[in-house]
Amino acid sequence: MEVYSKAETLELRKKHIGPSCKVFFAKDPIKIVRAHGQYMFDENGEKYLDCINNVAHVGHSHPDVVEAAVKQMELLNTNSRFLHDNLVQYAKRLTATLPEKLSVCYFVNSGSEANDLALRLARQYSGHYDVITLDHAYHGHVTSLIDISPYKFNQLGKEAKKEFVHVAPSPDIYRGKYREDHEDPAGAYADEVRNIIEKAQKNGCKIAAFIAESMQSCGGQIIPPAGYFQKVAQFVHKAGGVFIADEVQVGFGRVGKNFWAFQLQGEDFVPDIVTMGKPIGNGHPMSCVVTTRDIAEAFGASGLEYFNTFGGNPVSCAIGLAVLDIIEQEDLQGNATCVGNYLIGLLKEQQIKHSLVGDIRGVGLFIGVDLVKDQLKRTPATAEAQHIIYKLKERKILLSADGPYRNVLKFKPPMCFSMEDAKFVVDQIDELLTELEEATQSRVKNSLPTNTQYKRKLPTDGSFQLESNNENISPVNGTICRHENGFSGESHTMACKRIRT
Amino acid sequence: MEVYSKAETLELRKKHIGPSCKVFFAKDPIKIVRAHGQYMFDENGEKYLDCINNVAHVGHSHPDVVEAAVKQMELLNTNSRFLHDNLVQYAKRLTATLPEKLSVCYFVNSGSEANDLALRLARQYSGHYDVITLDHAYHGHVTSLIDISPYKFNQLGKEAKKEFVHVAPSPDIYRGKYREDHEDPAGAYADEVRNIIEKAQKNGCKIAAFIAESMQSCGGQIIPPAGYFQKVAQFVHKAGGVFIADEVQVGFGRVGKNFWAFQLQGEDFVPDIVTMGKPIGNGHPMSCVVTTRDIAEAFGASGLEYFNTFGGNPVSCAIGLAVLDIIEQEDLQGNATCVGNYLIGLLKEQQIKHSLVGDIRGVGLFIGVDLVKDQLKRTPATAEAQHIIYKLKERKILLSADGPYRNVLKFKPPMCFSMEDAKFVVDQIDELLTELEEATQSRVKNSLPTNTQYKRKLPTDGSFQLESNNENISPVNGTICRHENGFSGESHTMACKRIRT
């Protein structure tokens, strides 16, 4: 099946692919030749458990997605200047998952195209230009989005922030300005945004938009406290701007209880623009911006046509429809809740056992494990996180570490992730943490005062206020959680061979 | 097969799709349900000849493209952070079509993403910011590209041009500043760019890039005089900037003789960055930026990673490889030359016969028919062009009119377009022009002085200096030109029913 050996592939990659395009595990990258469900296989047939691929949302190579694509590709793949059922059918289905006022779609090809268009919509509608973004945010790779992504532009030096960009503190109640012991972190973080708006206005700046991921992903798996978005939206609307919820990483049921992560904030919150991406087509390049009729009409009033060559083509829409069907038919939201709660529970056991585990935060299958050198000071354990990632890779588990300090283990697996997968990965993490603590002679104890341990106010759903036992691994709301890979009976390979990294 | 009636489709579209997204033939849009080769079929089975779809490059729904996609989708579709054969194999194949120094690829999802990245590369490499663009140019729909697209920003009023953007005259030798009777239009147009650079530098501006489509498409099917790009590149390089050739519309063999349209300028011309799009995946959302090692290294030196979630995934690359194979196996470049020359010949007969036809310009299967009210004044015949487009649609032919005055009939059909297709469409145009001239009582004569009629200096290849006879319809360079649809024996439906438009 292979055309080139791994060494040749690497050599050709060095020759012909831009050096800015990095591989995972640069010291010893992985060559993947096939994938299925939550498993990926390298050129030697070694099986990896995929804990990070939120694009392969309904599982790698899902047969229904392939079938939908083929069926439509054989018939027609053309642009949206012709009428086609798939486009409108998909728009109807997609908007049905959203609050009523979010009814107008623009189909594009990537999260970056979606966020860029969201900015264009906001600016045209508001007549303003400035943007408020969260610290550590990443919204995409095109010029306009690097500009509003501190995760990127901070790397370019102090001069890199443009004047029209205003950075609000990330609503991180573990490591941020207002923490879990604050009486109203949502209000306090929202007040920061209000202050930014007031200061900007004093300087003659006008706010077009506030943009935030509904949960920050690259920013370190941050779940904003419930009520924060409502308050921010009030201030932003008052300033004549709009609220853009970036669901590129976190949408399509990943949080379990809700289809969209912004809904964790409460039913009274509705963004003005929602952008979607990664999971929408299970890997097929497609994405979408959904907004209100008012904003869409204002955008249209400029007279400029919006044409996107590939956006909304019948193949992309057929795939989008198949993904929605699978999420429903396989109750992947139920699975996300159930397996996610179980995984969070197992990780909280690790938190008690290992001093390196500072914080466990998550909802559904979006979970962060914040590693610290010191539980009280919350000093990021960056090197330790990198060590664990590399060691897990040796054990055929794909996990990543992100956040401003690259110390947050980041779970965002395909939504068919099972209880056994969760148990397997946490067992491995347990072993690695034990080894690491023994090697560094750190005490295996929990130095965190017990009274603050579970005090975080997580949004709306009490179900993730898990105690560190296994009570919550049973079915939730009648959902049967996945106990093993639905595609095959293969068991995990316990590859414990150690390679120096 | 239909989920909704055409009326319901339209209704849902109005409800759920942004009003800025326009349909073809807004007064009576077409619903297309399948397509094959150069033919599209509506919900009633009516067959349309597609003269405009340069995305369906190797023909609509080409079975080899579908097969390549399915085969790879069943195995794996993931991001380029894992090593994969398809990525490097495709990069190797693609760069082999280009001059040697263009050796480093960045895979992205759309022409817009490609042009935006090209600007980022240019700015990082040069350390400069300003951009020179051609009048009437269109380079994409994201914020950074609307800024450098006069085709778009001119619609937004005089204030819309940003200070860092410098607009050079389009090298249009029919309607532009220097025409076919100028002794050195290439030099004269290039001098305009030099003057812009000098003026910009006097104002403290520094040029990062000159960007141009190798042939302007939306700008009115403009073929720059040979030698123009070389001279411009000299001036731009001297100013520390780079030359970006936008091949999104015109690349992949459309011009016949060459694989890339910039190669029409001569072998001594090599751009610094080439952007690709539309035809690259025959409709699959993918595109690419290719540049030099130096520029890629400078981009990498910023330290910023470039990651594109869908860009360069194994499915896109498999499709890209299939498209390259088909172009070669079916000798579509040969067909483009052969059928293109024949079509240009037939259109030149129309130029002699009809006073409305001002100019015929083209190379391969990229052809413009510039309609004029007056051959000497070259007054654009905008309404007439629109009339013809609508009338052709009634006759089941899809053609469009573009350019700053929307008076240029624009041919850019799938590359499997046949001699019979060419004859059919020109016969219909002939009838419509005759009707139009009779209705408006204009004389059916050629008011153009005969000595200037074929005087245009077209780039490099003498083969498109066609006389208006059929000599050139025979095979060119051993190529067997397509005489009919390779997929089926169906003949053209001569639907002459007239609908008021």
Side-chain angles (χ1 to χ4, degrees):
Chain A
M1 198 157 62
E2 273 188 291
V3 180
Y4 303 112
S5 71
K6 186 169 169 180
E8 287 168 332
T9 312
L10 251 174
E11 206 44 56
L12 279 168
R13 186 163 168 132
K14 274 183 197 153
K15 194 171 172 191
H16 290 304
I17 304 297
S20 313
C21 306
K22 306 294 187 195
V23 290
F24 278 132
F25 308 107
K27 292 170 196 165
D28 180 30
I30 306 174
K31 185 169 182 178
I32 294 292
V33 298
R34 68 185 178 93
H36 209 53
Q38 62 272 47
Y39 306 108
M40 303 186 92
F41 300 85
D42 72 11
E43 78 282 13
N44 302 316
E46 289 278 11
K47 177 174 156 185
Y48 289 80
L49 173 62
D50 181 359
C51 304
I52 48 174
N53 209 321
N54 59 343
V55 174
H57 194 61
V58 299
H60 288 281
S61 315
H62 197 295
D64 294 0
V65 172
V66 181
E67 197 194 327
V70 182
K71 224 172 126 184
Q72 187 55 52
M73 284 186 85
E74 282 173 345
L75 277 177
L76 174 70
N77 187 14
T78 195
N79 66 60
S80 63
R81 278 179 173 147
F82 299 101
L83 298 179
H84 197 278
D85 284 344
N86 290 9
L87 178 74
V88 296
Q89 200 184 356
Y90 186 49
K92 194 181 165 188
R93 279 283 294 278
L94 195 59
T95 52
T97 67
L98 286 158
E100 204 180 345
K101 78 167 198 175
L102 291 164
S103 63
V104 184
C105 304
Y106 298 84
F107 289 104
V108 296
N109 306 300
S110 67
S112 289
E113 285 195 357
N115 280 331
D116 181 89
L117 179 57
L119 290 184
R120 291 187 60 204
L121 289 165
R123 284 173 173 155
Q124 180 69 29
Y125 173 75
S126 66
H128 301 170
Y129 195 77
D130 286 29
V131 177
I132 303 173
T133 186
L134 293 181
D135 205 6
H136 315 307
Y138 176 63
H139 295 291
H141 53 68
V142 299
T143 309
S144 63
L145 302 176
I146 300 286
D147 281 350
I148 61 162
S149 297
Y151 182 78
K152 286 285 177 185
F153 72 66
N154 278 343
Q155 294 177 53
L156 298 172
K158 286 198 173 175
E159 301 292 298
K161 193 187 83 59
K162 302 275 167 72
E163 274 186 22
F164 70 85
V165 179
H166 310 274
V167 181
S170 168
D172 173 358
I173 58 171
Y174 179 70
R175 199 180 282 291
K177 198 166 172 182
Y178 310 107
R179 300 192 174 177
E180 72 284 352
D181 55 357
H182 190 283
E183 58 175 11
D184 177 22
Y189 280 114
D191 284 346
E192 293 276 335
V193 175
R194 189 192 53 200
N195 295 343
I196 285 170
I197 293 172
E198 283 171 2
K199 198 178 152 195
Q201 286 175 333
K202 268 181 202 158
N203 293 325
C205 301
K206 291 173 178 176
I207 305 300
F210 171 90
I211 184 168
E213 285 186 278
S214 299
M215 304 188 296
Q216 276 196 302
S217 182
C218 295
Q221 306 289 92
I222 307 299
I223 304 167
Y228 171 65
F229 281 0
Q230 285 89 325
K231 290 188 174 80
V232 167
Q234 270 179 15
F235 299 140
V236 172
H237 288 157
K238 207 179 147 197
V242 304
F243 192 112
I244 303 170
D246 177 342
E247 292 266 343
V248 170
Q249 296 257 12
V250 297
F252 290 89
R254 175 158 297 278
V255 299
K257 188 192 164 204
N258 300 105
F259 201 79
W260 301 105
F262 71 77
Q263 293 170 321
L264 292 171
Q265 292 277 315
E267 279 187 16
D268 56 331
F269 174 66
V270 181
D272 303 297
I273 300 174
V274 177
T275 58
M276 304 162 186
K278 297 187 190 286
I280 188 171
N282 214 46
H284 185 80
M286 60 183 286
S287 67
C288 188
V289 180
V290 186
T291 191
T292 65
R293 172 61 51 192
D294 280 357
I295 293 175
E297 296 288 351
F299 189 61
S302 79
L304 277 200
E305 184 189 338
Y306 181 80
F307 176 63
N308 189 305
T309 301
F310 305 127
N313 71 68
V315 174
S316 295
C317 292
I319 289 173
L321 282 165
V323 168
L324 293 181
D325 283 341
I326 297 164
I327 293 171
E328 219 173 281
Q329 286 158 12
E330 301 189 3
D331 189 17
L332 294 178
Q333 280 183 252
N335 194 63
T337 297
C338 175
V339 175
N341 284 345
Y342 177 58
L343 179 51
I344 291 168
L346 293 175
L347 290 167
K348 295 228 171 193
E349 288 175 12
Q350 298 299 308
Q351 192 182 22
I352 292 166
K353 196 168 165 190
H354 300 287
S355 58
L356 270 166
V357 180
D359 188 34
I360 306 294
R361 48 186 177 256
V363 45
L365 283 170
F366 180 86
I367 300 163
V369 180
D370 198 316
L371 298 184
V372 294
K373 287 181 179 169
D374 181 306
Q375 293 234 6
L376 284 173
K377 292 183 189 160
R378 303 185 178 179
T379 327
T382 304
E384 291 79 356
Q386 297 305 315
H387 175 84
I388 285 172
I389 293 305
Y390 264 87
K391 286 290 173 191
L392 284 173
K393 179 219 169 195
E394 290 172 18
R395 295 173 180 219
K396 312 297 177 215
I397 293 172
L398 304 172
L399 195 69
S400 67
D402 213 330
Y405 309 102
R406 295 173 63 223
N407 69 313
V408 181
L409 306 183
K410 197 168 146 184
F411 285 88
K412 48 183 180 91
M415 297 271 284
C416 50
F417 207 71
S418 74
M419 313 283 266
E420 283 73 14
D421 298 327
K423 182 82 171 64
F424 175 67
V425 63
V426 177
D427 283 350
Q428 304 306 307
I429 290 174
D430 188 7
E431 280 184 35
L432 291 171
L433 287 171
T434 305
E435 274 178 30
L436 204 57
E437 285 163 343
E438 279 168 5
T440 58
Q441 292 178 306
S442 53
R443 300 238 180 109
V444 182
K445 59 147 200 177
N446 185 355
S447 58
L448 194 70
T450 48
N451 61 334
T452 66
Q453 194 173 352
Y454 290 130
K455 217 187 143 188
R456 296 189 69 211
K457 282 184 207 156
L458 284 167
T460 62
D461 185 352
S463 71
F464 38 80
Q465 301 275 356
L466 272 193
E467 293 304 319
S468 53
N469 59 37
N470 283 350
E471 271 180 7
N472 288 273
I473 71 163
S474 51
V476 171
N477 300 331
T479 297
I480 305 306
C481 299
R482 297 209 177 205
H483 278 271
E484 52 180 58
N485 174 5
F487 295 104
S488 75
E490 293 167 285
S491 63
H492 292 288
T493 310
M494 291 287 288
C496 292
K497 193 174 50 161
R498 306 291 155 85
I499 303 159
R500 272 277 140 250
T501 51
Chain B
M1 197 156 66
E2 272 189 291
V3 181
Y4 304 112
S5 70
K6 187 170 169 181
E8 287 167 330
T9 313
L10 252 175
E11 205 45 54
L12 279 168
R13 187 164 168 132
K14 274 181 198 154
K15 194 171 171 191
H16 290 305
I17 304 296
S20 313
C21 306
K22 305 295 186 194
V23 290
F24 278 131
F25 308 107
K27 292 170 197 166
D28 180 30
I30 306 174
K31 185 169 182 178
I32 293 292
V33 298
R34 66 186 180 93
H36 208 53
Q38 62 273 47
Y39 306 108
M40 303 185 93
F41 300 85
D42 72 12
E43 77 283 13
N44 302 315
E46 288 278 12
K47 178 175 157 185
Y48 290 79
L49 174 62
D50 180 359
C51 303
I52 49 173
N53 209 321
N54 59 343
V55 173
H57 194 61
V58 299
H60 288 281
S61 316
H62 196 293
D64 294 1
V65 172
V66 181
E67 197 193 327
V70 181
K71 223 172 127 184
Q72 187 55 52
M73 284 187 85
E74 282 173 345
L75 277 177
L76 174 70
N77 187 13
T78 195
N79 66 61
S80 64
R81 278 178 172 148
F82 299 101
L83 298 179
H84 198 278
D85 284 344
N86 290 8
L87 178 75
V88 296
Q89 201 184 356
Y90 185 49
K92 193 180 166 189
R93 278 282 296 279
L94 195 59
T95 51
T97 66
L98 286 158
E100 204 179 345
K101 79 166 197 175
L102 291 164
S103 63
V104 184
C105 303
Y106 299 84
F107 290 103
V108 297
N109 306 300
S110 67
S112 290
E113 284 195 358
N115 280 331
D116 181 89
L117 179 57
L119 289 184
R120 290 188 61 202
L121 289 165
R123 284 172 173 155
Q124 179 69 28
Y125 173 76
S126 65
H128 300 170
Y129 196 77
D130 286 28
V131 177
I132 304 174
T133 187
L134 293 181
D135 206 3
H136 315 307
Y138 176 64
H139 293 292
H141 53 69
V142 298
T143 308
S144 63
L145 303 176
I146 299 287
D147 281 351
I148 62 162
S149 297
Y151 181 77
K152 286 284 176 186
F153 72 65
N154 278 343
Q155 294 176 55
L156 297 172
K158 286 198 171 174
E159 301 292 297
K161 193 186 84 57
K162 301 275 168 72
E163 274 186 20
F164 71 82
V165 179
H166 309 274
V167 181
S170 167
D172 173 358
I173 58 170
Y174 179 69
R175 199 180 282 292
K177 196 167 173 179
Y178 310 106
R179 299 191 174 178
E180 72 284 352
D181 55 355
H182 190 283
E183 58 175 10
D184 177 21
Y189 280 114
D191 284 346
E192 293 276 334
V193 175
R194 189 192 53 201
N195 295 343
I196 285 170
I197 293 172
E198 283 171 2
K199 198 178 150 194
Q201 287 175 331
K202 269 181 201 157
N203 293 325
C205 301
K206 291 175 177 174
I207 304 299
F210 171 89
I211 184 168
E213 284 186 278
S214 300
M215 305 188 296
Q216 276 195 303
S217 182
C218 295
Q221 307 288 92
I222 307 299
I223 304 167
Y228 170 66
F229 280 1
Q230 286 87 327
K231 291 187 173 80
V232 168
Q234 269 179 17
F235 300 138
V236 172
H237 288 156
K238 208 179 147 197
V242 305
F243 191 113
I244 303 170
D246 177 343
E247 292 266 343
V248 171
Q249 296 259 11
V250 297
F252 290 89
R254 176 157 297 279
V255 299
K257 189 191 164 201
N258 300 105
F259 200 79
W260 301 104
F262 71 76
Q263 294 170 321
L264 291 171
Q265 292 277 316
E267 280 187 12
D268 56 332
F269 173 68
V270 181
D272 303 297
I273 300 174
V274 177
T275 58
M276 304 162 187
K278 297 187 190 285
I280 189 171
N282 214 47
H284 185 79
M286 59 183 286
S287 67
C288 188
V289 180
V290 186
T291 190
T292 64
R293 172 60 50 192
D294 281 357
I295 292 175
E297 295 289 352
F299 189 61
S302 78
L304 276 201
E305 183 189 339
Y306 181 80
F307 176 62
N308 188 305
T309 302
F310 306 127
N313 71 69
V315 175
S316 295
C317 292
I319 289 173
L321 282 164
V323 168
L324 292 182
D325 283 342
I326 298 164
I327 293 171
E328 219 172 282
Q329 286 158 11
E330 301 188 4
D331 188 18
L332 292 178
Q333 280 184 252
N335 193 64
T337 297
C338 175
V339 175
N341 284 346
Y342 176 59
L343 178 52
I344 291 168
L346 292 175
L347 290 167
K348 294 227 172 194
E349 287 175 13
Q350 298 300 308
Q351 191 182 23
I352 293 166
K353 198 169 164 188
H354 299 288
S355 59
L356 271 167
V357 180
D359 188 34
I360 306 294
R361 48 186 178 256
V363 44
L365 283 170
F366 180 85
I367 300 163
V369 180
D370 199 315
L371 298 185
V372 293
K373 287 181 182 170
D374 180 305
Q375 293 235 3
L376 284 173
K377 291 182 189 161
R378 302 183 177 180
T379 327
T382 304
E384 291 79 356
Q386 297 306 315
H387 175 85
I388 285 171
I389 293 304
Y390 265 87
K391 287 291 172 189
L392 283 172
K393 179 221 171 195
E394 291 172 16
R395 294 175 180 217
K396 312 299 176 213
I397 293 172
L398 303 172
L399 195 69
S400 67
D402 213 331
Y405 309 101
R406 295 174 62 224
N407 70 313
V408 181
L409 306 181
K410 199 168 144 183
F411 284 89
K412 48 184 180 89
M415 297 272 283
C416 49
F417 207 70
S418 75
M419 312 284 265
E420 282 74 12
D421 297 327
K423 183 80 172 64
F424 175 67
V425 62
V426 177
D427 283 350
Q428 304 306 308
I429 290 174
D430 188 5
E431 279 183 36
L432 291 171
L433 287 171
T434 305
E435 272 178 30
L436 203 59
E437 285 163 346
E438 278 168 7
T440 58
Q441 292 177 305
S442 56
R443 300 240 180 106
V444 182
K445 59 148 201 178
N446 185 357
S447 59
L448 195 71
T450 48
N451 61 335
T452 66
Q453 193 177 351
Y454 290 128
K455 218 188 145 190
R456 298 189 68 213
K457 281 183 206 158
L458 284 167
T460 62
D461 185 352
S463 69
F464 38 81
Q465 301 275 356
L466 272 194
E467 293 306 316
S468 52
N469 59 38
N470 283 348
E471 272 181 6
N472 287 274
I473 70 163
S474 52
V476 171
N477 298 331
T479 296
I480 305 305
C481 300
R482 296 209 176 205
H483 278 271
E484 52 180 60
N485 173 6
F487 295 104
S488 74
E490 293 167 285
S491 64
H492 293 288
T493 311
M494 290 287 288
C496 292
K497 194 173 51 163
R498 305 292 155 84
I499 304 160
R500 270 280 139 245
T501 52

